[in-house]
Structures are given as C-alpha cells and as structure tokens.
Amino acid sequence: MRDKAEYVDEQGNPLTACTRAFVGGDSIILQGDTYVVSENITCNGTITILGDVTLIIEDGCTLTVNAPHGDGIKAYDDNWNHYKITVYGQEKQTGTININSLDRGIWCRSFTLNGGNLNIQSSDWQSILAADTLLINNGIINAESSSTNCSAIRGDKNLTINGGQVTTKSKVAGLGSYQGDIMLGYTKSDDFIDTKGFRTYFGTVRVLEGKDLTDGTNVYSAADETSTLLKLKDVKLTPATSKR
C-alpha cells in the first residue's frame, strides 16, 4: 500500500512522493523504496537495507535505532553490494533519527542528508561510513564515535558538506575520507562545522569556491593550501562575514 507524503528538498522547496509506511520492531529488512516515518518508532536491532532507500522523517516524529550488538543501519547484502541512503525532512525540519550502535551507526555505499535531525553514537566504529560518497546538504547532525581508530564520519571517495549544522566528536578525527577529498562549505548564515579535526589518506581538505569559512580568528578559502586545513584540530568553522 502506498501513500503520498509531503517533504522538502535541501533548499526547502516543497515536494511530494509516494511512500511506504516505516514500521518498527526488532531487526528490520527494507527493500529499495521510499519510506515515511510518520510516528515515533523504535527499532531494537539492525535495520538492513537491500536496495536504494529514501527516508522521509515527518515533523515531530522520531526514528530510534538501538543496536548494542552490531550496526545501526547497514545497506548491503550477502554479496557485499552496497546501496544508497537519502534522508529528507519536512517544512519545520523537526523530524529526528537517533542511532546508538556498537559498530557503525550507518554503513552504506552513498549517504545524503537533505534535512531533519540526525544523532548517532557508535562505540567501536564510525558513526557514518559511506563506501562511496557522503553528502550533507542541510539538517542538523551530531555524530560521535568512541573508537580510538576511526573518524566519526567518513566518505571513502568524497565527503562534502554543502550546508547544515554539523557536530562531530571522536578520539581520532571528526571528518574523514580515504581515496577522496573532504570539501567544506555552507548554505545559510547559521550553518557551521564543529569537528575534532580531519583525516585523509590519499585526498585533501579544502573549502568550496566562494564559501569562505572562519574559526573566529582566521579566514579559510578555496585558495588556501590543503595542508593548512588538515592541521586544524578542535575547530568550529562558520561562514566568514568579511573578506581577507
């Protein structure tokens, strides 16, 4: 059975999609589709996703995932095919996903946050691990990893922050990438990036063109050497209000 749900894109433009109702319980398997969280739902165990999935979190509703023995949400099958997860909110952006996990909070091929509130705490691994790209366009995200080896959020090929309020806590680094770059920007004046620091293996850290950021003392732009940004620790970056 399909219903229509109202939601907004990353810029607040109204959209409508045919959805399936998200149903709670213990360990859950979701096939590729669009699902709407239209009430407070708790899942005790891992949510396994077998196909590309879009989640629409209605205003005032919360999806809580408690996974003390494994991943919170994992989007791959027995053949190690990874899938894409996209999250949207509604007009007021008060929908929330809370994840507490032993292992990865979210593990997928690609992850995109376009709105809503996302709170993730992982004990042993990343809060979010995307094997391909990780994209934060809007919303409020608080991600924490207690691991002594992992970044809180990692996009293996690229990690891009185009907007939103991003807070990461980790003993190693807040934002990480393996093969790709970490790219930083903003959309609204109250956007920010509050992070333990950055970690890359083969990529760089850079500010997006025309999206200068400041730590309150220095201004960072796309022209800066990437090593300057990579060395930053325990920093909160906000939109720069003045040019150098």
Side-chain angles (χ1 to χ4, degrees):
M1 181 177 179
R2 286 182 174 271
D3 294 309
K4 289 186 177 180
E6 306 293 329
Y7 66 108
V8 296
D9 66 12
E10 63 272 20
Q11 298 177 336
N13 299 313
L15 299 170
T16 302
C18 290
T19 65
R20 294 184 183 275
F22 192 103
V23 179
D26 293 332
S27 297
I28 296 169
I29 296 177
L30 297 180
Q31 302 298 323
D33 212 325
T34 299
Y35 297 86
V36 60
V37 176
S38 56
E39 59 182 348
N40 292 335
I41 294 172
T42 298
C43 174
N44 293 309
T46 298
I47 297 175
T48 301
I49 291 176
L50 303 176
D52 293 345
V53 160
T54 296
L55 295 176
I56 298 171
I57 314 299
E58 289 192 350
D59 285 335
C61 297
T62 299
L63 169 62
T64 300
V65 182
N66 297 310
H69 304 296
D71 302 308
I73 300 176
K74 62 177 183 180
Y76 63 88
D77 60 23
D78 292 339
N79 295 318
W80 290 95
N81 295 310
H82 284 64
Y83 301 103
K84 179 180 178 180
I85 300 172
T86 305
V87 178
Y88 289 94
Q90 289 189 309
E91 182 180 3
K92 295 180 181 179
Q93 298 290 331
T94 59
T96 301
I97 299 176
N98 295 321
I99 301 174
N100 289 282
S101 64
L102 173 67
D103 296 330
R104 300 161 186 86
I106 297 175
W107 188 10
C108 57
R109 183 183 80 244
S110 297
F111 178 81
T112 302
L113 180 66
N114 287 319
N117 301 276
L118 181 57
N119 304 304
I120 307 178
Q121 185 164 8
S122 169
S123 297
D124 288 353
W125 291 89
Q126 298 91 355
S127 292
I128 306 176
L129 174 61
D132 198 334
T133 58
L134 198 155
L135 185 61
I136 300 172
N137 291 319
N138 193 15
I140 299 174
I141 179 168
N142 292 280
E144 182 174 356
S145 171
S146 300
S147 170
T148 57
N149 297 310
C150 299
S151 304
I153 300 176
R154 183 170 127 178
D156 274 353
K157 292 188 177 178
N158 277 309
L159 192 163
T160 302
I161 299 176
N162 286 318
Q165 298 180 353
V166 181
T167 303
T168 63
K169 297 179 180 179
S170 173
K171 295 178 180 178
V172 178
L175 301 171
S177 183
Y178 185 67
Q179 299 176 346
D181 298 334
I182 300 172
M183 294 167 283
L184 310 175
Y186 65 89
T187 301
K188 302 185 294 294
S189 60
D190 60 351
D191 289 344
F192 63 79
I193 301 165
D194 189 347
T195 181
K196 173 74 174 179
F198 308 96
R199 187 183 196 185
T200 65
Y201 291 87
F202 300 103
T204 62
V205 182
R206 59 188 176 90
V207 174
L208 294 169
E209 191 69 38
K211 300 294 183 179
D212 291 3
L213 297 168
T214 180
D215 59 7
T217 302
N218 302 301
V219 175
Y220 305 95
S221 72
D224 284 313
E225 293 184 6
T226 57
S227 59
T228 301
L229 292 162
L230 188 58
K231 293 176 181 178
L232 295 178
K233 302 293 183 184
D234 299 311
V235 63
K236 183 175 182 178
L237 299 171
T238 60
T241 56
S242 62
K243 296 182 179 179
R244 290 189 291 185

